[in-house]
PDB file of all heavy atoms in Angstrom:
ATOM      1  N   ALA A 432      -2.755   6.666 -10.975  1.00 61.00           N
ATOM      2  CA  ALA A 432      -3.255   6.165  -9.695  1.00 61.00           C
ATOM      3  C   ALA A 432      -2.439   4.967  -9.231  1.00 61.00           C
ATOM      4  O   ALA A 432      -2.094   4.857  -8.053  1.00 61.00           O
ATOM      5  CB  ALA A 432      -4.730   5.802  -9.810  1.00 61.00           C
ATOM      6  N   ALA A 433      -2.116   4.072 -10.152  1.00 63.00           N
ATOM      7  CA  ALA A 433      -1.319   2.903  -9.780  1.00 63.00           C
ATOM      8  C   ALA A 433       0.082   3.320  -9.370  1.00 63.00           C
ATOM      9  O   ALA A 433       0.640   2.793  -8.404  1.00 63.00           O
ATOM     10  CB  ALA A 433      -1.263   1.914 -10.942  1.00 63.00           C
ATOM     11  N   GLU A 434       0.662   4.274 -10.110  1.00 69.00           N
ATOM     12  CA  GLU A 434       1.990   4.754  -9.768  1.00 69.00           C
ATOM     13  C   GLU A 434       1.968   5.462  -8.411  1.00 69.00           C
ATOM     14  O   GLU A 434       2.879   5.279  -7.598  1.00 69.00           O
ATOM     15  CB  GLU A 434       2.505   5.702 -10.850  1.00 69.00           C
ATOM     16  CG  GLU A 434       3.934   6.131 -10.640  1.00 69.00           C
ATOM     17  CD  GLU A 434       4.453   6.981 -11.793  1.00 69.00           C
ATOM     18  OE1 GLU A 434       3.683   7.363 -12.691  1.00 69.00           O
ATOM     19  OE2 GLU A 434       5.650   7.266 -11.784  1.00 69.00           O
ATOM     20  N   ALA A 435       0.923   6.223  -8.148  1.00 66.00           N
ATOM     21  CA  ALA A 435       0.801   6.902  -6.861  1.00 66.00           C
ATOM     22  C   ALA A 435       0.627   5.890  -5.735  1.00 66.00           C
ATOM     23  O   ALA A 435       1.209   6.047  -4.653  1.00 66.00           O
ATOM     24  CB  ALA A 435      -0.376   7.872  -6.886  1.00 66.00           C
ATOM     25  N   ALA A 436      -0.147   4.843  -5.982  1.00 67.00           N
ATOM     26  CA  ALA A 436      -0.328   3.795  -4.965  1.00 67.00           C
ATOM     27  C   ALA A 436       0.980   3.074  -4.703  1.00 67.00           C
ATOM     28  O   ALA A 436       1.313   2.772  -3.547  1.00 67.00           O
ATOM     29  CB  ALA A 436      -1.399   2.811  -5.411  1.00 67.00           C
ATOM     30  N   PHE A 437       1.740   2.803  -5.770  1.00 70.00           N
ATOM     31  CA  PHE A 437       3.038   2.146  -5.611  1.00 70.00           C
ATOM     32  C   PHE A 437       3.989   3.039  -4.825  1.00 70.00           C
ATOM     33  O   PHE A 437       4.688   2.579  -3.923  1.00 70.00           O
ATOM     34  CB  PHE A 437       3.618   1.816  -6.990  1.00 70.00           C
ATOM     35  CG  PHE A 437       4.963   1.154  -6.928  1.00 70.00           C
ATOM     36  CD1 PHE A 437       5.059  -0.175  -6.563  1.00 70.00           C
ATOM     37  CD2 PHE A 437       6.113   1.849  -7.228  1.00 70.00           C
ATOM     38  CE1 PHE A 437       6.282  -0.795  -6.502  1.00 70.00           C
ATOM     39  CE2 PHE A 437       7.344   1.239  -7.171  1.00 70.00           C
ATOM     40  CZ  PHE A 437       7.434  -0.089  -6.815  1.00 70.00           C
ATOM     41  N   ALA A 438       4.028   4.324  -5.153  1.00 72.00           N
ATOM     42  CA  ALA A 438       4.897   5.261  -4.439  1.00 72.00           C
ATOM     43  C   ALA A 438       4.470   5.392  -2.985  1.00 72.00           C
ATOM     44  O   ALA A 438       5.314   5.456  -2.084  1.00 72.00           O
ATOM     45  CB  ALA A 438       4.878   6.625  -5.130  1.00 72.00           C
ATOM     46  N   ALA A 439       3.162   5.413  -2.737  1.00 72.00           N
ATOM     47  CA  ALA A 439       2.670   5.511  -1.363  1.00 72.00           C
ATOM     48  C   ALA A 439       3.034   4.270  -0.566  1.00 72.00           C
ATOM     49  O   ALA A 439       3.450   4.366   0.598  1.00 72.00           O
ATOM     50  CB  ALA A 439       1.152   5.712  -1.353  1.00 72.00           C
ATOM     51  N   ALA A 440       2.897   3.105  -1.194  1.00 70.00           N
ATOM     52  CA  ALA A 440       3.254   1.862  -0.502  1.00 70.00           C
ATOM     53  C   ALA A 440       4.750   1.821  -0.206  1.00 70.00           C
ATOM     54  O   ALA A 440       5.169   1.443   0.889  1.00 70.00           O
ATOM     55  CB  ALA A 440       2.842   0.654  -1.331  1.00 70.00           C
ATOM     56  N   GLN A 441       5.553   2.245  -1.178  1.00 72.00           N
ATOM     57  CA  GLN A 441       7.005   2.247  -0.980  1.00 72.00           C
ATOM     58  C   GLN A 441       7.387   3.254   0.104  1.00 72.00           C
ATOM     59  O   GLN A 441       8.246   2.982   0.934  1.00 72.00           O
ATOM     60  CB  GLN A 441       7.706   2.586  -2.291  1.00 72.00           C
ATOM     61  CG  GLN A 441       9.205   2.453  -2.219  1.00 72.00           C
ATOM     62  CD  GLN A 441       9.861   2.640  -3.576  1.00 72.00           C
ATOM     63  OE1 GLN A 441       9.234   3.121  -4.511  1.00 72.00           O
ATOM     64  NE2 GLN A 441      11.110   2.273  -3.681  1.00 72.00           N
ATOM     65  N   LYS A 442       6.734   4.409   0.113  1.00 74.00           N
ATOM     66  CA  LYS A 442       7.004   5.417   1.140  1.00 74.00           C
ATOM     67  C   LYS A 442       6.631   4.885   2.513  1.00 74.00           C
ATOM     68  O   LYS A 442       7.360   5.098   3.478  1.00 74.00           O
ATOM     69  CB  LYS A 442       6.222   6.694   0.834  1.00 74.00           C
ATOM     70  CG  LYS A 442       6.509   7.821   1.803  1.00 74.00           C
ATOM     71  CD  LYS A 442       5.761   9.074   1.413  1.00 74.00           C
ATOM     72  CE  LYS A 442       6.036  10.188   2.407  1.00 74.00           C
ATOM     73  NZ  LYS A 442       5.315  11.402   2.073  1.00 74.00           N
ATOM     74  N   GLN A 443       5.498   4.166   2.601  1.00 68.00           N
ATOM     75  CA  GLN A 443       5.084   3.595   3.884  1.00 68.00           C
ATOM     76  C   GLN A 443       6.100   2.566   4.366  1.00 68.00           C
ATOM     77  O   GLN A 443       6.414   2.515   5.550  1.00 68.00           O
ATOM     78  CB  GLN A 443       3.702   2.960   3.775  1.00 68.00           C
ATOM     79  CG  GLN A 443       2.596   3.968   3.730  1.00 68.00           C
ATOM     80  CD  GLN A 443       1.233   3.312   3.665  1.00 68.00           C
ATOM     81  OE1 GLN A 443       1.111   2.124   3.467  1.00 68.00           O
ATOM     82  NE2 GLN A 443       0.201   4.120   3.835  1.00 68.00           N
ATOM     83  N   PHE A 444       6.632   1.777   3.450  1.00 66.00           N
ATOM     84  CA  PHE A 444       7.637   0.794   3.848  1.00 66.00           C
ATOM     85  C   PHE A 444       8.910   1.491   4.327  1.00 66.00           C
ATOM     86  O   PHE A 444       9.535   1.059   5.302  1.00 66.00           O
ATOM     87  CB  PHE A 444       7.952  -0.155   2.703  1.00 66.00           C
ATOM     88  CG  PHE A 444       6.833  -1.097   2.381  1.00 66.00           C
ATOM     89  CD1 PHE A 444       6.436  -1.288   1.077  1.00 66.00           C
ATOM     90  CD2 PHE A 444       6.177  -1.794   3.383  1.00 66.00           C
ATOM     91  CE1 PHE A 444       5.398  -2.153   0.766  1.00 66.00           C
ATOM     92  CE2 PHE A 444       5.146  -2.658   3.090  1.00 66.00           C
ATOM     93  CZ  PHE A 444       4.749  -2.833   1.774  1.00 66.00           C
ATOM     94  N   ASP A 445       9.313   2.560   3.648  1.00 67.00           N
ATOM     95  CA  ASP A 445      10.503   3.304   4.060  1.00 67.00           C
ATOM     96  C   ASP A 445      10.310   3.947   5.426  1.00 67.00           C
ATOM     97  O   ASP A 445      11.204   3.913   6.272  1.00 67.00           O
ATOM     98  CB  ASP A 445      10.855   4.379   3.026  1.00 67.00           C
ATOM     99  CG  ASP A 445      11.324   3.785   1.707  1.00 67.00           C
ATOM    100  OD1 ASP A 445      11.700   2.590   1.690  1.00 67.00           O
ATOM    101  OD2 ASP A 445      11.295   4.505   0.697  1.00 67.00           O
ATOM    102  N   ILE A 446       9.147   4.534   5.640  1.00 62.00           N
ATOM    103  CA  ILE A 446       8.862   5.170   6.924  1.00 62.00           C
ATOM    104  C   ILE A 446       8.849   4.129   8.031  1.00 62.00           C
ATOM    105  O   ILE A 446       9.400   4.344   9.116  1.00 62.00           O
ATOM    106  CB  ILE A 446       7.519   5.940   6.868  1.00 62.00           C
ATOM    107  CG1 ILE A 446       7.663   7.170   5.962  1.00 62.00           C
ATOM    108  CG2 ILE A 446       7.073   6.355   8.261  1.00 62.00           C
ATOM    109  CD1 ILE A 446       6.351   7.877   5.670  1.00 62.00           C
ATOM    110  N   ALA A 447       8.253   2.980   7.760  1.00 57.00           N
ATOM    111  CA  ALA A 447       8.191   1.918   8.770  1.00 57.00           C
ATOM    112  C   ALA A 447       9.592   1.429   9.123  1.00 57.00           C
ATOM    113  O   ALA A 447       9.876   1.148  10.287  1.00 57.00           O
ATOM    114  CB  ALA A 447       7.335   0.760   8.271  1.00 57.00           C
ATOM    115  N   ALA A 448      10.453   1.357   8.130  1.00 59.00           N
ATOM    116  CA  ALA A 448      11.805   0.887   8.390  1.00 59.00           C
ATOM    117  C   ALA A 448      12.608   1.923   9.179  1.00 59.00           C
ATOM    118  O   ALA A 448      13.410   1.574  10.043  1.00 59.00           O
ATOM    119  CB  ALA A 448      12.513   0.580   7.072  1.00 59.00           C
ATOM    120  N   GLN A 449      12.383   3.193   8.913  1.00 60.00           N
ATOM    121  CA  GLN A 449      13.159   4.244   9.562  1.00 60.00           C
ATOM    122  C   GLN A 449      12.658   4.544  10.968  1.00 60.00           C
ATOM    123  O   GLN A 449      13.439   4.689  11.903  1.00 60.00           O
ATOM    124  CB  GLN A 449      13.126   5.519   8.727  1.00 60.00           C
ATOM    125  CG  GLN A 449      13.882   5.393   7.422  1.00 60.00           C
ATOM    126  CD  GLN A 449      13.710   6.628   6.552  1.00 60.00           C
ATOM    127  OE1 GLN A 449      13.020   7.560   6.907  1.00 60.00           O
ATOM    128  NE2 GLN A 449      14.353   6.631   5.406  1.00 60.00           N
ATOM    129  N   GLU A 450      11.376   4.662  11.139  1.00 56.00           N
ATOM    130  CA  GLU A 450      10.838   5.127  12.410  1.00 56.00           C
ATOM    131  C   GLU A 450      10.290   4.015  13.287  1.00 56.00           C
ATOM    132  O   GLU A 450      10.099   4.203  14.479  1.00 56.00           O
ATOM    133  CB  GLU A 450       9.721   6.148  12.154  1.00 56.00           C
ATOM    134  CG  GLU A 450      10.194   7.389  11.439  1.00 56.00           C
ATOM    135  CD  GLU A 450       9.054   8.332  11.145  1.00 56.00           C
ATOM    136  OE1 GLU A 450       7.910   8.035  11.509  1.00 56.00           O
ATOM    137  OE2 GLU A 450       9.312   9.378  10.530  1.00 56.00           O
ATOM    138  N   ASN A 451       9.989   2.867  12.691  1.00 55.00           N
ATOM    139  CA  ASN A 451       9.397   1.739  13.408  1.00 55.00           C
ATOM    140  C   ASN A 451       8.097   2.123  14.114  1.00 55.00           C
ATOM    141  O   ASN A 451       7.760   1.561  15.148  1.00 55.00           O
ATOM    142  CB  ASN A 451      10.376   1.133  14.422  1.00 55.00           C
ATOM    143  CG  ASN A 451      11.522   0.436  13.745  1.00 55.00           C
ATOM    144  OD1 ASN A 451      11.365  -0.103  12.650  1.00 55.00           O
ATOM    145  ND2 ASN A 451      12.675   0.443  14.379  1.00 55.00           N
ATOM    146  N   THR A 452       7.376   3.094  13.588  1.00 54.00           N
ATOM    147  CA  THR A 452       6.115   3.492  14.193  1.00 54.00           C
ATOM    148  C   THR A 452       4.923   2.950  13.416  1.00 54.00           C
ATOM    149  O   THR A 452       3.826   2.900  13.947  1.00 54.00           O
ATOM    150  CB  THR A 452       5.994   5.026  14.264  1.00 54.00           C
ATOM    151  OG1 THR A 452       6.107   5.563  12.955  1.00 54.00           O
ATOM    152  CG2 THR A 452       7.059   5.606  15.168  1.00 54.00           C
ATOM    153  N   GLU A 453       5.146   2.576  12.162  1.00 62.00           N
ATOM    154  CA  GLU A 453       4.065   2.016  11.366  1.00 62.00           C
ATOM    155  C   GLU A 453       3.849   0.571  11.802  1.00 62.00           C
ATOM    156  O   GLU A 453       4.789  -0.172  12.004  1.00 62.00           O
ATOM    157  CB  GLU A 453       4.422   2.060   9.870  1.00 62.00           C
ATOM    158  CG  GLU A 453       4.496   3.439   9.290  1.00 62.00           C
ATOM    159  CD  GLU A 453       3.137   4.081   9.138  1.00 62.00           C
ATOM    160  OE1 GLU A 453       2.150   3.372   8.899  1.00 62.00           O
ATOM    161  OE2 GLU A 453       3.079   5.310   9.279  1.00 62.00           O
ATOM    162  N   ASP A 454       2.615   0.179  11.920  1.00 73.00           N
ATOM    163  CA  ASP A 454       2.343  -1.200  12.268  1.00 73.00           C
ATOM    164  C   ASP A 454       1.985  -1.998  11.019  1.00 73.00           C
ATOM    165  O   ASP A 454       1.763  -1.452   9.943  1.00 73.00           O
ATOM    166  CB  ASP A 454       1.245  -1.307  13.320  1.00 73.00           C
ATOM    167  CG  ASP A 454      -0.046  -0.617  12.886  1.00 73.00           C
ATOM    168  OD1 ASP A 454      -0.023   0.077  11.858  1.00 73.00           O
ATOM    169  OD2 ASP A 454      -1.051  -0.777  13.579  1.00 73.00           O
ATOM    170  N   PHE A 455       1.955  -3.293  11.174  1.00 73.00           N
ATOM    171  CA  PHE A 455       1.715  -4.186  10.041  1.00 73.00           C
ATOM    172  C   PHE A 455       0.357  -3.962   9.419  1.00 73.00           C
ATOM    173  O   PHE A 455       0.199  -4.051   8.206  1.00 73.00           O
ATOM    174  CB  PHE A 455       1.859  -5.641  10.496  1.00 73.00           C
ATOM    175  CG  PHE A 455       1.604  -6.622   9.401  1.00 73.00           C
ATOM    176  CD1 PHE A 455       2.532  -6.836   8.402  1.00 73.00           C
ATOM    177  CD2 PHE A 455       0.416  -7.325   9.364  1.00 73.00           C
ATOM    178  CE1 PHE A 455       2.289  -7.731   7.381  1.00 73.00           C
ATOM    179  CE2 PHE A 455       0.161  -8.228   8.342  1.00 73.00           C
ATOM    180  CZ  PHE A 455       1.104  -8.430   7.351  1.00 73.00           C
ATOM    181  N   GLU A 456      -0.632  -3.648  10.219  1.00 78.00           N
ATOM    182  CA  GLU A 456      -1.989  -3.480   9.703  1.00 78.00           C
ATOM    183  C   GLU A 456      -2.068  -2.337   8.692  1.00 78.00           C
ATOM    184  O   GLU A 456      -2.741  -2.461   7.668  1.00 78.00           O
ATOM    185  CB  GLU A 456      -2.971  -3.226  10.843  1.00 78.00           C
ATOM    186  CG  GLU A 456      -4.402  -3.118  10.377  1.00 78.00           C
ATOM    187  CD  GLU A 456      -5.378  -2.881  11.520  1.00 78.00           C
ATOM    188  OE1 GLU A 456      -4.937  -2.739  12.662  1.00 78.00           O
ATOM    189  OE2 GLU A 456      -6.572  -2.845  11.234  1.00 78.00           O
ATOM    190  N   THR A 457      -1.384  -1.252   8.940  1.00 84.00           N
ATOM    191  CA  THR A 457      -1.402  -0.111   8.024  1.00 84.00           C
ATOM    192  C   THR A 457      -0.798  -0.491   6.677  1.00 84.00           C
ATOM    193  O   THR A 457      -1.357  -0.174   5.625  1.00 84.00           O
ATOM    194  CB  THR A 457      -0.624   1.065   8.631  1.00 84.00           C
ATOM    195  OG1 THR A 457      -1.181   1.381   9.896  1.00 84.00           O
ATOM    196  CG2 THR A 457      -0.684   2.277   7.727  1.00 84.00           C
ATOM    197  N   VAL A 458       0.326  -1.176   6.718  1.00 79.00           N
ATOM    198  CA  VAL A 458       0.981  -1.596   5.483  1.00 79.00           C
ATOM    199  C   VAL A 458       0.107  -2.618   4.752  1.00 79.00           C
ATOM    200  O   VAL A 458      -0.061  -2.554   3.536  1.00 79.00           O
ATOM    201  CB  VAL A 458       2.379  -2.173   5.786  1.00 79.00           C
ATOM    202  CG1 VAL A 458       3.028  -2.729   4.530  1.00 79.00           C
ATOM    203  CG2 VAL A 458       3.264  -1.102   6.407  1.00 79.00           C
ATOM    204  N   PHE A 459      -0.473  -3.537   5.508  1.00 80.00           N
ATOM    205  CA  PHE A 459      -1.334  -4.548   4.907  1.00 80.00           C
ATOM    206  C   PHE A 459      -2.562  -3.913   4.267  1.00 80.00           C
ATOM    207  O   PHE A 459      -2.954  -4.296   3.160  1.00 80.00           O
ATOM    208  CB  PHE A 459      -1.757  -5.579   5.959  1.00 80.00           C
ATOM    209  CG  PHE A 459      -2.662  -6.638   5.421  1.00 80.00           C
ATOM    210  CD1 PHE A 459      -2.161  -7.635   4.600  1.00 80.00           C
ATOM    211  CD2 PHE A 459      -4.009  -6.634   5.726  1.00 80.00           C
ATOM    212  CE1 PHE A 459      -2.992  -8.615   4.090  1.00 80.00           C
ATOM    213  CE2 PHE A 459      -4.847  -7.600   5.222  1.00 80.00           C
ATOM    214  CZ  PHE A 459      -4.340  -8.603   4.403  1.00 80.00           C
ATOM    215  N   GLN A 460      -3.169  -2.953   4.937  1.00 86.00           N
ATOM    216  CA  GLN A 460      -4.347  -2.280   4.387  1.00 86.00           C
ATOM    217  C   GLN A 460      -3.999  -1.515   3.115  1.00 86.00           C
ATOM    218  O   GLN A 460      -4.801  -1.461   2.169  1.00 86.00           O
ATOM    219  CB  GLN A 460      -4.980  -1.347   5.427  1.00 86.00           C
ATOM    220  CG  GLN A 460      -5.638  -2.074   6.582  1.00 86.00           C
ATOM    221  CD  GLN A 460      -6.769  -2.984   6.138  1.00 86.00           C
ATOM    222  OE1 GLN A 460      -7.450  -2.728   5.157  1.00 86.00           O
ATOM    223  NE2 GLN A 460      -6.959  -4.058   6.873  1.00 86.00           N
ATOM    224  N   SER A 461      -2.821  -0.927   3.066  1.00 86.00           N
ATOM    225  CA  SER A 461      -2.375  -0.225   1.866  1.00 86.00           C
ATOM    226  C   SER A 461      -2.219  -1.199   0.702  1.00 86.00           C
ATOM    227  O   SER A 461      -2.660  -0.926  -0.419  1.00 86.00           O
ATOM    228  CB  SER A 461      -1.062   0.491   2.141  1.00 86.00           C
ATOM    229  OG  SER A 461      -0.560   1.071   0.970  1.00 86.00           O
ATOM    230  N   ALA A 462      -1.589  -2.332   0.969  1.00 84.00           N
ATOM    231  CA  ALA A 462      -1.407  -3.341  -0.075  1.00 84.00           C
ATOM    232  C   ALA A 462      -2.752  -3.916  -0.503  1.00 84.00           C
ATOM    233  O   ALA A 462      -2.993  -4.146  -1.697  1.00 84.00           O
ATOM    234  CB  ALA A 462      -0.490  -4.444   0.426  1.00 84.00           C
ATOM    235  N   LEU A 463      -3.636  -4.153   0.444  1.00 88.00           N
ATOM    236  CA  LEU A 463      -4.959  -4.673   0.130  1.00 88.00           C
ATOM    237  C   LEU A 463      -5.756  -3.671  -0.715  1.00 88.00           C
ATOM    238  O   LEU A 463      -6.468  -4.058  -1.644  1.00 88.00           O
ATOM    239  CB  LEU A 463      -5.721  -5.002   1.410  1.00 88.00           C
ATOM    240  CG  LEU A 463      -7.038  -5.731   1.259  1.00 88.00           C
ATOM    241  CD1 LEU A 463      -6.833  -7.073   0.573  1.00 88.00           C
ATOM    242  CD2 LEU A 463      -7.685  -5.923   2.611  1.00 88.00           C
ATOM    243  N   GLY A 464      -5.613  -2.392  -0.405  1.00 90.00           N
ATOM    244  CA  GLY A 464      -6.270  -1.353  -1.206  1.00 90.00           C
ATOM    245  C   GLY A 464      -5.764  -1.354  -2.640  1.00 90.00           C
ATOM    246  O   GLY A 464      -6.551  -1.173  -3.585  1.00 90.00           O
ATOM    247  N   MET A 465      -4.463  -1.562  -2.816  1.00 90.00           N
ATOM    248  CA  MET A 465      -3.901  -1.602  -4.159  1.00 90.00           C
ATOM    249  C   MET A 465      -4.425  -2.823  -4.913  1.00 90.00           C
ATOM    250  O   MET A 465      -4.746  -2.734  -6.098  1.00 90.00           O
ATOM    251  CB  MET A 465      -2.375  -1.628  -4.103  1.00 90.00           C
ATOM    252  CG  MET A 465      -1.742  -1.504  -5.453  1.00 90.00           C
ATOM    253  SD  MET A 465       0.036  -1.193  -5.465  1.00 90.00           S
ATOM    254  CE  MET A 465       0.643  -2.344  -4.293  1.00 90.00           C
ATOM    255  N   VAL A 466      -4.548  -3.956  -4.237  1.00 91.00           N
ATOM    256  CA  VAL A 466      -5.092  -5.156  -4.875  1.00 91.00           C
ATOM    257  C   VAL A 466      -6.552  -4.930  -5.262  1.00 91.00           C
ATOM    258  O   VAL A 466      -6.982  -5.302  -6.365  1.00 91.00           O
ATOM    259  CB  VAL A 466      -4.948  -6.386  -3.949  1.00 91.00           C
ATOM    260  CG1 VAL A 466      -5.734  -7.570  -4.480  1.00 91.00           C
ATOM    261  CG2 VAL A 466      -3.474  -6.746  -3.781  1.00 91.00           C
ATOM    262  N   ASN A 467      -7.318  -4.308  -4.389  1.00 92.00           N
ATOM    263  CA  ASN A 467      -8.724  -4.016  -4.696  1.00 92.00           C
ATOM    264  C   ASN A 467      -8.857  -3.068  -5.879  1.00 92.00           C
ATOM    265  O   ASN A 467      -9.741  -3.226  -6.725  1.00 92.00           O
ATOM    266  CB  ASN A 467      -9.440  -3.451  -3.470  1.00 92.00           C
ATOM    267  CG  ASN A 467      -9.661  -4.499  -2.410  1.00 92.00           C
ATOM    268  OD1 ASN A 467      -9.707  -5.692  -2.696  1.00 92.00           O
ATOM    269  ND2 ASN A 467      -9.777  -4.065  -1.167  1.00 92.00           N
ATOM    270  N   GLU A 468      -7.994  -2.062  -5.938  1.00 93.00           N
ATOM    271  CA  GLU A 468      -8.026  -1.124  -7.062  1.00 93.00           C
ATOM    272  C   GLU A 468      -7.670  -1.835  -8.369  1.00 93.00           C
ATOM    273  O   GLU A 468      -8.300  -1.601  -9.400  1.00 93.00           O
ATOM    274  CB  GLU A 468      -7.045   0.028  -6.821  1.00 93.00           C
ATOM    275  CG  GLU A 468      -7.070   1.059  -7.918  1.00 93.00           C
ATOM    276  CD  GLU A 468      -6.104   2.200  -7.686  1.00 93.00           C
ATOM    277  OE1 GLU A 468      -5.543   2.302  -6.583  1.00 93.00           O
ATOM    278  OE2 GLU A 468      -5.914   2.985  -8.626  1.00 93.00           O
ATOM    279  N   THR A 469      -6.694  -2.737  -8.309  1.00 93.00           N
ATOM    280  CA  THR A 469      -6.330  -3.520  -9.491  1.00 93.00           C
ATOM    281  C   THR A 469      -7.496  -4.378  -9.934  1.00 93.00           C
ATOM    282  O   THR A 469      -7.801  -4.467 -11.129  1.00 93.00           O
ATOM    283  CB  THR A 469      -5.109  -4.405  -9.183  1.00 93.00           C
ATOM    284  OG1 THR A 469      -4.013  -3.567  -8.823  1.00 93.00           O
ATOM    285  CG2 THR A 469      -4.717  -5.241 -10.384  1.00 93.00           C
ATOM    286  N   ASN A 470      -8.181  -4.986  -8.985  1.00 94.00           N
ATOM    287  CA  ASN A 470      -9.346  -5.810  -9.307  1.00 94.00           C
ATOM    288  C   ASN A 470     -10.454  -4.974  -9.941  1.00 94.00           C
ATOM    289  O   ASN A 470     -11.084  -5.399 -10.919  1.00 94.00           O
ATOM    290  CB  ASN A 470      -9.852  -6.514  -8.046  1.00 94.00           C
ATOM    291  CG  ASN A 470     -10.923  -7.529  -8.352  1.00 94.00           C
ATOM    292  OD1 ASN A 470     -10.862  -8.210  -9.366  1.00 94.00           O
ATOM    293  ND2 ASN A 470     -11.899  -7.627  -7.466  1.00 94.00           N
ATOM    294  N   ASP A 471     -10.701  -3.788  -9.400  1.00 94.00           N
ATOM    295  CA  ASP A 471     -11.723  -2.902  -9.959  1.00 94.00           C
ATOM    296  C   ASP A 471     -11.388  -2.503 -11.399  1.00 94.00           C
ATOM    297  O   ASP A 471     -12.271  -2.479 -12.272  1.00 94.00           O
ATOM    298  CB  ASP A 471     -11.892  -1.654  -9.102  1.00 94.00           C
ATOM    299  CG  ASP A 471     -12.511  -1.941  -7.755  1.00 94.00           C
ATOM    300  OD1 ASP A 471     -13.119  -3.026  -7.593  1.00 94.00           O
ATOM    301  OD2 ASP A 471     -12.371  -1.088  -6.853  1.00 94.00           O
ATOM    302  N   LEU A 472     -10.119  -2.183 -11.647  1.00 93.00           N
ATOM    303  CA  LEU A 472      -9.712  -1.804 -13.002  1.00 93.00           C
ATOM    304  C   LEU A 472      -9.851  -2.981 -13.964  1.00 93.00           C
ATOM    305  O   LEU A 472     -10.248  -2.805 -15.120  1.00 93.00           O
ATOM    306  CB  LEU A 472      -8.279  -1.277 -13.000  1.00 93.00           C
ATOM    307  CG  LEU A 472      -8.093   0.094 -12.368  1.00 93.00           C
ATOM    308  CD1 LEU A 472      -6.613   0.430 -12.221  1.00 93.00           C
ATOM    309  CD2 LEU A 472      -8.799   1.162 -13.183  1.00 93.00           C
ATOM    310  N   HIS A 473      -9.530  -4.181 -13.484  1.00 95.00           N
ATOM    311  CA  HIS A 473      -9.695  -5.370 -14.326  1.00 95.00           C
ATOM    312  C   HIS A 473     -11.170  -5.604 -14.651  1.00 95.00           C
ATOM    313  O   HIS A 473     -11.519  -5.928 -15.791  1.00 95.00           O
ATOM    314  CB  HIS A 473      -9.106  -6.598 -13.625  1.00 95.00           C
ATOM    315  CG  HIS A 473      -9.297  -7.865 -14.391  1.00 95.00           C
ATOM    316  ND1 HIS A 473      -8.614  -8.143 -15.548  1.00 95.00           N
ATOM    317  CD2 HIS A 473     -10.113  -8.914 -14.182  1.00 95.00           C
ATOM    318  CE1 HIS A 473      -9.005  -9.315 -16.015  1.00 95.00           C
ATOM    319  NE2 HIS A 473      -9.914  -9.800 -15.193  1.00 95.00           N
ATOM    320  N   ASN A 474     -12.030  -5.441 -13.659  1.00 95.00           N
ATOM    321  CA  ASN A 474     -13.471  -5.599 -13.884  1.00 95.00           C
ATOM    322  C   ASN A 474     -14.000  -4.554 -14.856  1.00 95.00           C
ATOM    323  O   ASN A 474     -14.858  -4.852 -15.703  1.00 95.00           O
ATOM    324  CB  ASN A 474     -14.239  -5.534 -12.562  1.00 95.00           C
ATOM    325  CG  ASN A 474     -13.995  -6.747 -11.698  1.00 95.00           C
ATOM    326  OD1 ASN A 474     -13.578  -7.799 -12.176  1.00 95.00           O
ATOM    327  ND2 ASN A 474     -14.229  -6.603 -10.404  1.00 95.00           N
ATOM    328  N   ASP A 475     -13.514  -3.318 -14.752  1.00 94.00           N
ATOM    329  CA  ASP A 475     -13.923  -2.259 -15.695  1.00 94.00           C
ATOM    330  C   ASP A 475     -13.500  -2.604 -17.127  1.00 94.00           C
ATOM    331  O   ASP A 475     -14.263  -2.391 -18.072  1.00 94.00           O
ATOM    332  CB  ASP A 475     -13.316  -0.918 -15.292  1.00 94.00           C
ATOM    333  CG  ASP A 475     -13.906  -0.368 -14.006  1.00 94.00           C
ATOM    334  OD1 ASP A 475     -14.967  -0.869 -13.570  1.00 94.00           O
ATOM    335  OD2 ASP A 475     -13.283   0.558 -13.421  1.00 94.00           O
TER     336      ASP A 475
END
């Protein structure tokens, strides 16, 4: 799951750089989701 989240975040950054259609909020929400998942795993 962490590797998939990392790959998804990296893919989103690549897409944003190539197409300039991704906005900051989408990338931020993806990163925030990864931080939340890390926090949940730490709590578990």
Side-chain angles (χ1 to χ4, degrees):
E434 186 175 8
F437 179 75
Q441 187 173 14
K442 183 177 179 181
Q443 285 182 350
F444 290 133
D445 292 342
I446 291 171
Q449 291 174 359
E450 298 177 1
N451 291 329
T452 58
E453 292 288 328
D454 56 351
F455 179 75
E456 183 179 3
T457 304
V458 175
F459 179 74
Q460 291 299 329
S461 175
L463 188 60
M465 187 168 46
V466 169
N467 289 336
E468 182 180 350
T469 299
N470 188 37
D471 291 342
L472 288 171
H473 177 71
N474 290 340
D475 291 345

